[in-house]
Amino acid sequence: MSTQSCILLVLGAGLSRRFGENDKLEAMLNDRPLAQHVLQIVTTLPWQQKRVVSRLGGTWHGAYDQSGFHRLINPEPERGLGSSLALGIRGLEPQDRVLICLADMPFITPAHLLRLCAASEAEPHLAFATSSPSYRGPPAVFPMESLLKLSPEEDMGARSLIRTAQLLCCPTHETTDIDDAASLAAITQASPPSDFPGT
């Protein structure tokens, strides 16, 4: 299976400034914390290695620990996404390929992750990102040789690589992320849990 040739990296160390004082990844979506929706999706697939970057506090990452993830703690999340990305790829080999997911995207599907990894396996020197009519970004898979060129001080992480990545389309609802309490409430109230992919 193509995912076995990729290293999975889930990024979850953001400061959630738009969500208020609380860590949005701890917020409940239907029956479990937001970050655990992504966990349920990615653990249906086999990976070469599983990594997650978190902040020091919180409890959502306990389920990741139990699922065999190597957890890396970002002590300075205020430095931006680049610092989490640099931490997440530390120690990997130049020939590795890394699939990056964000912990606040609960509706991405295993089928789409498989497509990304299969595309990367066929053309390992290219980057592949996700797109929908209103979105372009992670999940995305990158060759390590590209990620190693990024600065840890780059606040937007791998956005510069996504600009030139090959795009794989998916339905708009799959690229929904949770930025604030209002967006979480809107998704929760929109329809029952069974209507949401990945829940």
PDB file of all heavy atoms in Angstrom, residues 160-183:
ATOM      1  N   SER A 160       5.144  27.957   0.736  1.00  0.00           N
ATOM      2  CA  SER A 160       5.890  28.261  -0.486  1.00  0.00           C
ATOM      3  C   SER A 160       5.999  27.031  -1.386  1.00  0.00           C
ATOM      4  O   SER A 160       6.001  27.152  -2.617  1.00  0.00           O
ATOM      5  CB  SER A 160       7.294  28.785  -0.140  1.00  0.00           C
ATOM      6  OG  SER A 160       8.034  27.813   0.594  1.00  0.00           O
ATOM      7  N   LEU A 161       6.071  25.843  -0.795  1.00  0.00           N
ATOM      8  CA  LEU A 161       6.124  24.615  -1.588  1.00  0.00           C
ATOM      9  C   LEU A 161       4.761  24.261  -2.158  1.00  0.00           C
ATOM     10  O   LEU A 161       4.657  23.720  -3.262  1.00  0.00           O
ATOM     11  CB  LEU A 161       6.635  23.465  -0.720  1.00  0.00           C
ATOM     12  CG  LEU A 161       8.031  23.614  -0.108  1.00  0.00           C
ATOM     13  CD1 LEU A 161       8.374  22.383   0.715  1.00  0.00           C
ATOM     14  CD2 LEU A 161       9.080  23.865  -1.181  1.00  0.00           C
ATOM     15  N   ILE A 162       3.709  24.576  -1.420  1.00  0.00           N
ATOM     16  CA  ILE A 162       2.357  24.270  -1.889  1.00  0.00           C
ATOM     17  C   ILE A 162       2.010  25.098  -3.119  1.00  0.00           C
ATOM     18  O   ILE A 162       1.253  24.655  -3.991  1.00  0.00           O
ATOM     19  CB  ILE A 162       1.347  24.485  -0.745  1.00  0.00           C
ATOM     20  CG1 ILE A 162       1.500  23.356   0.280  1.00  0.00           C
ATOM     21  CG2 ILE A 162      -0.088  24.541  -1.262  1.00  0.00           C
ATOM     22  CD1 ILE A 162       0.672  23.511   1.522  1.00  0.00           C
ATOM     23  N   ARG A 163       2.577  26.294  -3.227  1.00  0.00           N
ATOM     24  CA  ARG A 163       2.296  27.146  -4.399  1.00  0.00           C
ATOM     25  C   ARG A 163       2.672  26.467  -5.703  1.00  0.00           C
ATOM     26  O   ARG A 163       2.062  26.710  -6.738  1.00  0.00           O
ATOM     27  CB  ARG A 163       3.050  28.475  -4.273  1.00  0.00           C
ATOM     28  CG  ARG A 163       2.544  29.394  -3.173  1.00  0.00           C
ATOM     29  CD  ARG A 163       3.132  30.780  -3.323  1.00  0.00           C
ATOM     30  NE  ARG A 163       2.870  31.595  -2.158  1.00  0.00           N
ATOM     31  CZ  ARG A 163       3.761  31.873  -1.209  1.00  0.00           C
ATOM     32  NH1 ARG A 163       5.000  31.401  -1.311  1.00  0.00           N
ATOM     33  NH2 ARG A 163       3.442  32.609  -0.175  1.00  0.00           N
ATOM     34  N   THR A 164       3.700  25.640  -5.667  1.00  0.00           N
ATOM     35  CA  THR A 164       4.181  24.989  -6.893  1.00  0.00           C
ATOM     36  C   THR A 164       3.865  23.494  -6.923  1.00  0.00           C
ATOM     37  O   THR A 164       4.310  22.785  -7.818  1.00  0.00           O
ATOM     38  CB  THR A 164       5.694  25.197  -7.044  1.00  0.00           C
ATOM     39  OG1 THR A 164       6.373  24.666  -5.894  1.00  0.00           O
ATOM     40  CG2 THR A 164       6.028  26.679  -7.169  1.00  0.00           C
ATOM     41  N   ALA A 165       3.111  23.004  -5.932  1.00  0.00           N
ATOM     42  CA  ALA A 165       2.807  21.578  -5.861  1.00  0.00           C
ATOM     43  C   ALA A 165       1.785  21.171  -6.911  1.00  0.00           C
ATOM     44  O   ALA A 165       0.976  21.978  -7.387  1.00  0.00           O
ATOM     45  CB  ALA A 165       2.270  21.237  -4.469  1.00  0.00           C
ATOM     46  N   GLN A 166       1.810  19.905  -7.273  1.00  0.00           N
ATOM     47  CA  GLN A 166       0.750  19.325  -8.081  1.00  0.00           C
ATOM     48  C   GLN A 166      -0.492  19.213  -7.198  1.00  0.00           C
ATOM     49  O   GLN A 166      -0.387  18.873  -6.017  1.00  0.00           O
ATOM     50  CB  GLN A 166       1.159  17.946  -8.583  1.00  0.00           C
ATOM     51  CG  GLN A 166       2.502  17.908  -9.296  1.00  0.00           C
ATOM     52  CD  GLN A 166       2.504  18.766 -10.543  1.00  0.00           C
ATOM     53  OE1 GLN A 166       1.666  18.576 -11.419  1.00  0.00           O
ATOM     54  NE2 GLN A 166       3.432  19.697 -10.638  1.00  0.00           N
ATOM     55  N   LEU A 167      -1.668  19.479  -7.764  1.00  0.00           N
ATOM     56  CA  LEU A 167      -2.884  19.524  -6.961  1.00  0.00           C
ATOM     57  C   LEU A 167      -3.785  18.326  -7.226  1.00  0.00           C
ATOM     58  O   LEU A 167      -4.021  17.961  -8.375  1.00  0.00           O
ATOM     59  CB  LEU A 167      -3.649  20.819  -7.245  1.00  0.00           C
ATOM     60  CG  LEU A 167      -2.900  22.114  -6.913  1.00  0.00           C
ATOM     61  CD1 LEU A 167      -3.760  23.320  -7.290  1.00  0.00           C
ATOM     62  CD2 LEU A 167      -2.511  22.165  -5.440  1.00  0.00           C
ATOM     63  N   LEU A 168      -4.302  17.753  -6.143  1.00  0.00           N
ATOM     64  CA  LEU A 168      -5.291  16.689  -6.221  1.00  0.00           C
ATOM     65  C   LEU A 168      -6.587  17.223  -5.619  1.00  0.00           C
ATOM     66  O   LEU A 168      -6.616  17.643  -4.461  1.00  0.00           O
ATOM     67  CB  LEU A 168      -4.833  15.445  -5.457  1.00  0.00           C
ATOM     68  CG  LEU A 168      -3.945  14.455  -6.234  1.00  0.00           C
ATOM     69  CD1 LEU A 168      -2.603  15.085  -6.579  1.00  0.00           C
ATOM     70  CD2 LEU A 168      -3.747  13.178  -5.429  1.00  0.00           C
ATOM     71  N   CYS A 169      -7.633  17.212  -6.406  1.00  0.00           N
ATOM     72  CA  CYS A 169      -8.902  17.808  -5.987  1.00  0.00           C
ATOM     73  C   CYS A 169      -9.684  16.861  -5.075  1.00  0.00           C
ATOM     74  O   CYS A 169      -9.598  15.636  -5.199  1.00  0.00           O
ATOM     75  CB  CYS A 169      -9.756  18.137  -7.201  1.00  0.00           C
ATOM     76  SG  CYS A 169      -9.029  19.374  -8.289  1.00  0.00           S
ATOM     77  N   CYS A 170     -10.452  17.474  -4.181  1.00  0.00           N
ATOM     78  CA  CYS A 170     -11.380  16.712  -3.353  1.00  0.00           C
ATOM     79  C   CYS A 170     -12.591  17.593  -3.062  1.00  0.00           C
ATOM     80  O   CYS A 170     -12.536  18.813  -3.277  1.00  0.00           O
ATOM     81  CB  CYS A 170     -10.714  16.215  -2.070  1.00  0.00           C
ATOM     82  SG  CYS A 170     -10.376  17.475  -0.843  1.00  0.00           S
ATOM     83  N   PRO A 171     -13.690  17.028  -2.573  1.00  0.00           N
ATOM     84  CA  PRO A 171     -14.883  17.832  -2.285  1.00  0.00           C
ATOM     85  C   PRO A 171     -14.601  18.913  -1.239  1.00  0.00           C
ATOM     86  O   PRO A 171     -13.784  18.731  -0.340  1.00  0.00           O
ATOM     87  CB  PRO A 171     -15.883  16.794  -1.760  1.00  0.00           C
ATOM     88  CG  PRO A 171     -15.430  15.505  -2.340  1.00  0.00           C
ATOM     89  CD  PRO A 171     -13.939  15.578  -2.384  1.00  0.00           C
ATOM     90  N   THR A 172     -15.320  20.017  -1.355  1.00  0.00           N
ATOM     91  CA  THR A 172     -15.096  21.157  -0.467  1.00  0.00           C
ATOM     92  C   THR A 172     -15.219  20.790   0.999  1.00  0.00           C
ATOM     93  O   THR A 172     -14.415  21.241   1.833  1.00  0.00           O
ATOM     94  CB  THR A 172     -16.086  22.288  -0.804  1.00  0.00           C
ATOM     95  OG1 THR A 172     -15.851  22.709  -2.148  1.00  0.00           O
ATOM     96  CG2 THR A 172     -15.905  23.478   0.129  1.00  0.00           C
ATOM     97  N   HIS A 173     -16.204  19.976   1.362  1.00  0.00           N
ATOM     98  CA  HIS A 173     -16.410  19.679   2.783  1.00  0.00           C
ATOM     99  C   HIS A 173     -15.226  18.957   3.404  1.00  0.00           C
ATOM    100  O   HIS A 173     -14.991  19.061   4.602  1.00  0.00           O
ATOM    101  CB  HIS A 173     -17.702  18.869   2.997  1.00  0.00           C
ATOM    102  CG  HIS A 173     -17.635  17.461   2.489  1.00  0.00           C
ATOM    103  ND1 HIS A 173     -18.067  17.111   1.235  1.00  0.00           N
ATOM    104  CD2 HIS A 173     -17.191  16.320   3.069  1.00  0.00           C
ATOM    105  CE1 HIS A 173     -17.899  15.811   1.062  1.00  0.00           C
ATOM    106  NE2 HIS A 173     -17.357  15.313   2.151  1.00  0.00           N
ATOM    107  N   GLU A 174     -14.446  18.231   2.581  1.00  0.00           N
ATOM    108  CA  GLU A 174     -13.302  17.509   3.125  1.00  0.00           C
ATOM    109  C   GLU A 174     -12.193  18.452   3.568  1.00  0.00           C
ATOM    110  O   GLU A 174     -11.366  18.093   4.413  1.00  0.00           O
ATOM    111  CB  GLU A 174     -12.769  16.507   2.107  1.00  0.00           C
ATOM    112  CG  GLU A 174     -13.711  15.361   1.824  1.00  0.00           C
ATOM    113  CD  GLU A 174     -13.097  14.311   0.929  1.00  0.00           C
ATOM    114  OE1 GLU A 174     -11.847  14.238   0.838  1.00  0.00           O
ATOM    115  OE2 GLU A 174     -13.865  13.541   0.313  1.00  0.00           O
ATOM    116  N   THR A 175     -12.159  19.649   3.012  1.00  0.00           N
ATOM    117  CA  THR A 175     -11.088  20.594   3.354  1.00  0.00           C
ATOM    118  C   THR A 175     -11.515  21.578   4.447  1.00  0.00           C
ATOM    119  O   THR A 175     -10.782  22.523   4.740  1.00  0.00           O
ATOM    120  CB  THR A 175     -10.637  21.374   2.114  1.00  0.00           C
ATOM    121  OG1 THR A 175     -11.741  22.100   1.559  1.00  0.00           O
ATOM    122  CG2 THR A 175     -10.069  20.447   1.060  1.00  0.00           C
ATOM    123  N   THR A 176     -12.662  21.346   5.056  1.00  0.00           N
ATOM    124  CA  THR A 176     -13.119  22.211   6.146  1.00  0.00           C
ATOM    125  C   THR A 176     -12.165  22.099   7.329  1.00  0.00           C
ATOM    126  O   THR A 176     -11.827  21.000   7.765  1.00  0.00           O
ATOM    127  CB  THR A 176     -14.528  21.807   6.604  1.00  0.00           C
ATOM    128  OG1 THR A 176     -15.423  21.935   5.509  1.00  0.00           O
ATOM    129  CG2 THR A 176     -14.998  22.679   7.752  1.00  0.00           C
ATOM    130  N   ASP A 177     -11.728  23.251   7.847  1.00  0.00           N
ATOM    131  CA  ASP A 177     -10.963  23.253   9.087  1.00  0.00           C
ATOM    132  C   ASP A 177     -11.695  24.113  10.111  1.00  0.00           C
ATOM    133  O   ASP A 177     -12.631  24.820   9.786  1.00  0.00           O
ATOM    134  CB  ASP A 177      -9.515  23.717   8.888  1.00  0.00           C
ATOM    135  CG  ASP A 177      -9.419  25.145   8.389  1.00  0.00           C
ATOM    136  OD1 ASP A 177     -10.468  25.756   8.095  1.00  0.00           O
ATOM    137  OD2 ASP A 177      -8.301  25.659   8.281  1.00  0.00           O
ATOM    138  N   ILE A 178     -11.267  24.014  11.344  1.00  0.00           N
ATOM    139  CA  ILE A 178     -11.923  24.722  12.437  1.00  0.00           C
ATOM    140  C   ILE A 178     -11.008  25.840  12.910  1.00  0.00           C
ATOM    141  O   ILE A 178      -9.929  25.580  13.455  1.00  0.00           O
ATOM    142  CB  ILE A 178     -12.233  23.776  13.614  1.00  0.00           C
ATOM    143  CG1 ILE A 178     -12.952  22.519  13.134  1.00  0.00           C
ATOM    144  CG2 ILE A 178     -13.037  24.501  14.690  1.00  0.00           C
ATOM    145  CD1 ILE A 178     -14.283  22.746  12.498  1.00  0.00           C
ATOM    146  N   ASP A 179     -11.421  27.095  12.688  1.00  0.00           N
ATOM    147  CA  ASP A 179     -10.588  28.224  13.073  1.00  0.00           C
ATOM    148  C   ASP A 179     -11.039  28.893  14.369  1.00  0.00           C
ATOM    149  O   ASP A 179     -10.223  29.459  15.084  1.00  0.00           O
ATOM    150  CB  ASP A 179     -10.569  29.277  11.958  1.00  0.00           C
ATOM    151  CG  ASP A 179      -9.747  28.829  10.756  1.00  0.00           C
ATOM    152  OD1 ASP A 179      -8.747  28.117  10.974  1.00  0.00           O
ATOM    153  OD2 ASP A 179     -10.098  29.170   9.626  1.00  0.00           O
ATOM    154  N   ASP A 180     -12.335  28.872  14.635  1.00  0.00           N
ATOM    155  CA  ASP A 180     -12.847  29.580  15.809  1.00  0.00           C
ATOM    156  C   ASP A 180     -14.066  28.852  16.358  1.00  0.00           C
ATOM    157  O   ASP A 180     -14.570  27.891  15.767  1.00  0.00           O
ATOM    158  CB  ASP A 180     -13.176  31.033  15.475  1.00  0.00           C
ATOM    159  CG  ASP A 180     -14.072  31.169  14.252  1.00  0.00           C
ATOM    160  OD1 ASP A 180     -14.963  30.298  14.072  1.00  0.00           O
ATOM    161  OD2 ASP A 180     -13.890  32.124  13.479  1.00  0.00           O
ATOM    162  N   ALA A 181     -14.562  29.338  17.500  1.00  0.00           N
ATOM    163  CA  ALA A 181     -15.688  28.688  18.151  1.00  0.00           C
ATOM    164  C   ALA A 181     -16.950  28.737  17.285  1.00  0.00           C
ATOM    165  O   ALA A 181     -17.752  27.803  17.288  1.00  0.00           O
ATOM    166  CB  ALA A 181     -15.943  29.341  19.503  1.00  0.00           C
ATOM    167  N   ALA A 182     -17.105  29.810  16.522  1.00  0.00           N
ATOM    168  CA  ALA A 182     -18.289  29.944  15.669  1.00  0.00           C
ATOM    169  C   ALA A 182     -18.299  28.882  14.570  1.00  0.00           C
ATOM    170  O   ALA A 182     -19.351  28.296  14.270  1.00  0.00           O
ATOM    171  CB  ALA A 182     -18.336  31.340  15.067  1.00  0.00           C
ATOM    172  N   SER A 183     -17.145  28.630  13.960  1.00  0.00           N
ATOM    173  CA  SER A 183     -17.105  27.616  12.902  1.00  0.00           C
ATOM    174  C   SER A 183     -17.335  26.225  13.470  1.00  0.00           C
ATOM    175  O   SER A 183     -17.977  25.381  12.837  1.00  0.00           O
ATOM    176  CB  SER A 183     -15.776  27.678  12.145  1.00  0.00           C
ATOM    177  OG  SER A 183     -14.677  27.442  13.005  1.00  0.00           O
TER     178      SER A 183
END
